[in-house]
Amino acid sequence: MTEEKEICYPYAYGRLNASLDMLASNLEMACIREDVEVDDKVFELLKKMVKERQTKAVDESYDKH
């Protein structure tokens, strides 16, 4: 017998949301470790884009009824 599992969407959203923040920070740190020169403006833009998408996801998640 196979147990059917359901996705816990609030938990999944929280993990994904946190992962996006970490992605931007981890990329910046990886570039520093690997001595890859990237203008700081690129990381600022990436973080801004992540924040915009997080905000949009929250706004779109509200029940529109």
Side-chain angles (χ1 to χ4, degrees):
M1 180 185 315
T2 304
E3 181 181 341
E4 192 170 318
K5 296 181 180 183
E6 292 186 28
I7 294 174
C8 176
Y9 287 99
Y11 176 78
Y13 168 79
R15 289 288 305 255
L16 183 57
N17 191 45
S19 294
L20 286 174
D21 283 331
M22 286 178 34
L23 175 67
S25 296
N26 288 347
L27 177 61
E28 185 174 7
M29 295 308 295
C31 288
I32 291 168
R33 273 193 312 273
E34 297 293 324
D35 201 26
V36 175
E37 298 231 5
V38 180
D39 190 317
D40 288 340
K41 183 79 174 168
V42 172
F43 298 117
E44 291 173 23
L45 289 169
L46 177 59
K47 289 175 185 177
K48 179 181 174 193
M49 292 170 68
V50 166
K51 186 57 66 188
E52 287 171 352
R53 277 149 187 81
Q54 288 170 326
T55 300
K56 185 176 180 179
V58 169
D59 290 346
E60 291 179 351
S61 70
Y62 291 115
D63 190 6
K64 304 287 189 208
H65 295 44

